[in-house]
Amino acid sequence: MTIRVMLVDDQMLLRTGFRMVLAAQQDMEVVAEAGDGAEALERLRSTPVDVVLMDVRMPNVDGVEATRRICSGSSGSPKVLILTTFDLDEYAFSALKAGASGFMLKDVPPADLLAAIRAVHSGDAVVAPSTTRRLIDRFSTVLPATAPEPLSNGLERLTDREREVLMLIAQGLSNGEIAARLVLSEATVKTHVGRILAKLELRDRVQAVVLAYETKLVRAGGGTP
């Protein structure tokens, strides 16, 4: 199966570089390019795309707003992988909240970029647990001051074990680390994670982390209330 990719960046030189890397892959094809979010949204109306490589800082419609519009569409909407110039760019956190499946630095090694595209296409998130920790610690100040009403966030649908797993996800632990902490098999943890995402109607564990902090299930720094 060929992964159809759209490149969205206001710098043509960067788009050219990414296109050359992707063109060498048998399972990837660059089917569209855009210089800003508005152009990207227009292209998506007529071009089937699986994964969007999205810059965040662009004129007109920026990458965060474009991501929000893409991810609020139908279940068949393309996955969005954010590209940032600086690690822990404040826009990256906003884009994750808007529905992006992860983010990469623009100077990422080609092999890592290709692996990220394939991971996002398969439904995984590509923000590593260690990066998730740093993201949340760095941007805790932009989270809401108050939590939503208890019954509005869906957490009441989780079992005690699922809530426990969610708290560990939010603290940046991988499935293997959660399994060791709770003395469970990694397969069992993966099942719990799948059920959590389904019950909370979330795309991936990145969105689960955001929800956990927004609802004060855990606090910035990895602690529990």
Side-chain angles (χ1 to χ4, degrees):
M1 179 181 295
T2 299
I3 303 174
R4 299 165 297 187
V5 180
M6 172 186 278
L7 304 177
V8 185
D9 196 299
D10 60 341
Q11 298 185 47
M12 185 178 296
L13 184 60
L14 281 175
R15 297 204 310 268
T16 300
F18 287 131
R19 185 172 64 249
M20 291 175 62
V21 171
L22 271 58
Q25 306 304 306
Q26 293 184 346
D27 62 339
M28 296 183 191
E29 178 185 6
V30 176
V31 296
E33 295 185 33
D36 60 46
E39 186 180 357
L41 294 167
E42 182 64 30
R43 293 288 178 86
L44 285 173
R45 294 189 179 97
S46 58
T47 306
V49 174
D50 299 311
V51 177
V52 178
L53 295 187
M54 180 78 74
D55 187 20
V56 286
R57 302 192 185 200
M58 297 180 291
N60 301 318
V61 177
D62 66 22
V64 176
E65 178 59 26
T67 297
R68 182 177 295 108
R69 296 186 195 180
I70 292 171
C71 296
S72 64
S74 66
S75 58
S77 299
K79 303 297 179 59
V80 178
L81 179 59
I82 294 295
L83 298 174
T84 68
T85 302
F86 304 104
D87 194 9
L88 297 186
D89 187 326
E90 66 270 19
Y91 284 87
F93 183 78
S94 297
L96 293 176
K97 289 186 66 176
S101 295
F103 77 95
M104 303 289 288
L105 295 179
K106 288 185 177 181
D107 61 356
V108 63
D112 291 350
L113 175 64
L114 297 172
I117 293 172
R118 294 184 178 107
V120 167
H121 181 252
S122 68
D124 291 334
V126 294
V127 179
S130 60
T131 306
T132 299
R133 283 195 197 99
R134 292 187 295 119
L135 262 176
I136 295 299
D137 288 346
R138 169 67 176 80
F139 295 114
S140 60
T141 56
V142 306
L143 295 175
T146 58
E149 290 299 319
L151 296 181
S152 67
N153 53 49
L155 294 179
E156 75 282 355
R157 295 195 293 270
L158 301 182
T159 65
D160 290 341
R161 175 64 85 185
E162 289 166 352
R163 184 182 290 256
E164 189 174 15
V165 169
L166 176 57
M167 287 192 292
L168 295 177
I169 291 173
Q171 291 174 42
L173 274 65
S174 66
N175 285 355
E177 291 169 334
I178 294 173
R181 178 76 63 87
L182 300 181
V183 194
L184 300 171
S185 71
E186 193 164 341
T188 298
V189 172
K190 186 174 181 180
T191 298
H192 283 312
V193 173
R195 289 174 178 167
I196 290 168
L197 298 181
K199 288 182 178 181
L200 299 180
E201 300 180 354
L202 302 172
R203 291 173 69 116
D204 51 46
R205 65 194 297 132
V206 173
Q207 296 293 294
V209 169
V210 172
L211 178 66
Y213 279 86
E214 286 184 327
T215 57
K216 308 295 184 176
L217 184 63
V218 290
R219 292 173 177 166
T224 56

